[in-house]
Amino acid sequence: MEKVITYIIGDIVLSENPGNALKKWRNLFNIQQIELAKYLNVSPSVISDYEVGRRKNPGVNIIKKYVLALIEIDKERGGHTIKALNKILNKSPSIKAILSIKEYENPIPLKEFVDLIDGEFVVNTNNLDIPIYGHTVVDSIKAILEMNGDDFYHLYGWTTERALIFSNVSTGKSPMVAVRVSIMKPRVVVLQGIDKTKIDKLAIKLAEIDNIPLITTQLDLKDLIKVLNEIK
């Protein structure tokens, strides 16, 4: 628990935009402004002012109160987010299947993300403004051969609100089965190097069941990683 609290506080304090970082973590915990404000005994406008920068940058004491409130609210709900973050933080970072992993300082809308990677929708969504907070590029073959169920948590970095990108894909079936059986779901799944017409029908069906946008990109893997790592 202490590791999680320290990490979140550090992430906010060291951020170039603490307001955005506050909002990012509140969204990751799936807590509404009004609920957090009630817990902190302030008006929702106070929370909003800090998050959009209308008030001066919050000090460490305010950030700590904000984070502890997120933790306590999550504990009252069963502590699912805390448990997931603990698993991620305590996992070894040396998983060879992961080719690139990054959290974005500022989330980008799904449509902009898809444009950046020259992507095509296979399974679409009605909301193209869905925020993407990060990405993980994983070698699908190495993942199948080397990763166990617990390792899968490490693919999510510090948030599931991210793009999970599988390279070395033949039909897309295995990656989508892995996503389907996992408790944690990514915001979007990208299959690299495969034509959309060759994607297995089961992979498409599983994406539809979980309501996960499924995208393909024909970008070369090195070019794709370069583009992704340039996102701020």
Side-chain angles (χ1 to χ4, degrees):
M1 176 77 72
E2 203 61 37
K3 271 188 180 181
V4 171
I5 294 171
T6 301
Y7 182 91
I8 297 174
I9 292 175
D11 179 71
I12 297 169
V13 170
L14 297 176
S15 171
E16 292 181 4
N17 191 325
N20 279 348
L22 289 171
K23 183 177 180 180
K24 174 185 76 174
W25 284 104
R26 180 176 58 75
N27 285 334
L28 297 183
F29 276 84
N30 195 27
I31 295 171
Q32 299 298 314
Q33 282 186 349
I34 191 168
E35 184 178 6
L36 181 60
K38 184 177 179 181
Y39 197 92
L40 289 171
N41 197 28
V42 298
S43 70
S45 64
V46 172
I47 303 297
S48 177
D49 286 348
Y50 277 122
E51 291 182 351
V52 301
R54 282 193 292 265
R55 290 177 179 244
K56 66 178 182 179
N57 287 346
V60 174
N61 286 337
I62 291 175
I63 292 173
K64 185 175 181 180
K65 288 179 181 178
Y66 186 104
V67 172
L68 290 178
L70 297 179
I71 298 291
E72 290 304 315
I73 293 171
D74 187 65
K75 284 168 65 177
E76 291 174 2
R77 295 176 174 180
H80 301 297
T81 302
I82 298 169
K83 290 173 186 175
L85 291 173
N86 263 318
K87 283 188 176 182
I88 293 167
L89 185 59
N90 291 323
K91 290 300 293 180
S92 167
S94 59
I95 296 177
K96 295 178 182 178
I98 296 178
L99 306 178
S100 173
I101 186 166
K102 182 176 180 179
E103 318 300 325
Y104 304 151
E105 180 66 33
N106 299 299
I108 63 173
L110 175 60
K111 184 182 185 305
E112 182 180 338
F113 181 84
V114 174
D115 289 342
L116 282 172
I117 65 171
D118 291 338
E120 280 191 273
F121 279 101
V122 180
V123 174
N124 209 331
T125 174
N126 292 326
N127 184 5
L128 295 178
D129 292 325
I130 291 172
I132 307 298
Y133 284 90
H135 72 259
T136 304
V137 182
V138 58
D139 185 308
S140 59
I141 294 177
K142 287 184 179 180
I144 293 169
L145 294 176
E146 300 175 7
M147 295 177 68
N148 58 38
D150 287 338
D151 288 336
F152 204 77
Y153 283 106
H154 194 67
L155 299 182
Y156 292 104
W158 278 96
T159 173
T160 58
E161 307 294 301
R162 70 197 304 106
L164 193 50
I165 303 161
F166 293 92
S167 69
N168 240 336
V169 173
S170 55
T171 67
K173 179 179 177 180
S174 294
M176 289 312 303
V177 169
V179 170
R180 175 61 180 164
V181 300
S182 174
I183 295 174
M184 300 172 69
K185 310 291 183 184
R187 177 60 77 184
V188 58
V189 171
V190 180
L191 304 178
Q192 180 269 336
I194 181 173
D195 187 277
K196 63 186 296 184
T197 62
K198 296 182 179 180
I199 297 177
D200 189 279
K201 291 182 179 178
L202 178 59
I204 296 173
K205 184 64 177 177
L206 293 177
E208 291 172 342
I209 290 172
D210 281 333
N211 195 29
I212 298 175
L214 181 61
I215 297 161
T216 61
T217 177
Q218 296 296 313
L219 279 182
D220 176 79
L221 182 58
K222 288 183 179 179
D223 292 337
L224 175 61
I225 291 176
K226 183 176 185 295
V227 168
L228 292 169
N229 286 342
E230 288 175 351
I231 298 174
K232 300 299 183 182

